[in-house]
Amino acid sequence: MAFPYARTFDEVLAHVNERRCVCGATETGIENRTGERVLIGGVAAVRFDFYCVECARLREFTFRMTGTPVQERAARRPGIRVIGLGRSATEAHLFMDLHGCDVCGEEEFERDFAVIVVDGELCSRYSGVCPECGDPREFTFRLPEETPIPDPDEPSFGGERPSELLDAGEWLWVADTIAAGTPAEPAGMDDQQRRRARYDLLTAAAAAAEARKFVAFGADAVSPGALWSPTGRAVYEAEPGRFSLQRLELLEEVFRGLAVTFGD
């Protein structure tokens, strides 16, 4: 099986402490000490929740435990951790795409969707199994009070409030990554390719706009305190000047201008 044996919780801790978080940190906090008994491939196992002290990522580890009776999976897992507000399904899926499996790093997995109530709040839950190593994966986000209606021609990740899932540096990284994978000009492209490139550039512009939302009212740049992820901090430290309001607005305008050149 893809998950190891453990006889005691001390053995669980020893296994977890030997494995770094995707951010590189080793210090781990305990989210759920008692564990949840699950059935995976017909085998009784116990799943434990931990979280990274450095980046707050939820880390789940599953073990075959000797002497554990077989139980059906509970309809709702106790102590479930809500990551933050998912302002849109697009933002939620982007967050999941950027956070690979804690065990093997695989990013993709087939996601079952459900609306649940956690502490009196409506939440969206995406769950599934890593196709590479079989480790269970689950993400839970608070739902917004109003569900945004997506515009197929205008990519958007959320309203005017800053994201709770990705920081300003991560949004700039997303914008850079999308733009880097887009051709510089439409020459030689068919209509479908041009539409795809145009949409990608508009998505990059929307990501740049998300970074801009972290500039506080009356400020002229994103505060370093608004960067909480290793990726975001790395982007900021590489070139802090990119986080000025003026440059973020200019970047968004550049991407939108380039998108026009790929129009029909």
Side-chain angles (χ1 to χ4, degrees):
M1 301 296 292
F3 41 91
Y5 279 105
R7 292 170 297 178
T8 66
F9 189 72
D10 287 340
E11 290 185 1
V12 170
L13 287 177
H15 178 89
V16 172
N17 290 333
E18 290 175 353
R19 285 154 179 80
R20 293 179 179 271
C21 175
V22 292
C23 74
T26 57
E27 188 174 358
T28 304
I30 301 171
E31 184 84 9
N32 178 12
R33 186 183 180 92
T34 58
E36 176 197 6
R37 291 170 180 170
V38 296
L39 277 175
I40 301 178
V43 177
V46 180
R47 182 169 66 193
F48 296 91
D49 290 342
F50 296 84
Y51 64 91
C52 176
V53 173
E54 179 66 24
C55 69
R57 284 183 173 88
L58 179 66
R59 307 186 68 197
E60 294 181 342
F61 293 85
T62 303
F63 301 84
R64 285 196 283 178
M65 310 270 303
T66 57
T68 301
V70 176
Q71 288 190 357
E72 293 292 337
R73 179 174 178 170
R76 178 186 166 198
R77 186 151 53 98
I80 191 167
R81 177 174 174 267
V82 179
I83 298 171
L85 175 67
R87 298 170 301 165
S88 66
T90 303
E91 181 182 40
H93 282 285
L94 175 62
F95 180 87
M96 291 185 282
D97 290 341
L98 295 179
H99 292 77
C101 174
D102 287 334
V103 175
C104 69
E106 172 65 35
E107 297 173 352
E108 296 296 327
F109 70 100
E110 188 173 341
R111 300 159 186 175
D112 293 328
F113 172 78
V115 175
I116 62 174
V117 178
V118 180
D119 296 330
E121 289 190 285
L122 284 176
C123 296
S124 59
R125 180 175 65 188
Y126 298 87
S127 59
V129 176
C130 176
E132 185 67 25
C133 69
D135 198 58
R137 305 202 64 197
E138 185 173 294
F139 295 82
T140 302
F141 310 96
R142 296 197 319 277
L143 283 169
E145 293 182 2
E146 296 184 0
T147 303
I149 300 175
D151 184 342
D153 297 321
E154 186 65 32
S156 175
F157 296 99
E160 288 304 312
R161 63 183 297 175
S163 174
E164 294 183 12
L165 304 183
L166 279 70
D167 66 22
E170 288 179 296
W171 285 114
L172 264 188
W173 182 89
V174 169
D176 290 343
T177 301
I178 294 173
T182 305
E185 56 183 29
M189 301 175 67
D190 59 30
D191 290 345
Q192 183 176 358
Q193 290 171 328
R194 286 200 301 272
R195 285 194 294 270
R196 179 72 259 178
R198 178 181 180 276
Y199 188 86
D200 287 346
L201 286 166
L202 289 176
T203 303
E210 290 297 332
R212 173 177 51 77
K213 293 175 186 178
F214 284 88
V215 179
F217 179 77
D220 57 7
V222 175
S223 167
L227 300 148
W228 61 78
S229 71
T231 297
R233 289 195 292 267
V235 174
Y236 182 86
E237 290 168 3
E239 193 174 350
R242 296 188 68 198
F243 289 79
S244 71
L245 177 60
Q246 183 179 18
R247 288 189 62 175
L248 290 172
E249 290 176 336
L250 178 60
L251 184 63
E252 181 183 356
E253 291 177 6
V254 168
F255 287 145
R256 291 192 178 279
L258 288 172
V260 171
T261 67
F262 289 86
D264 294 334

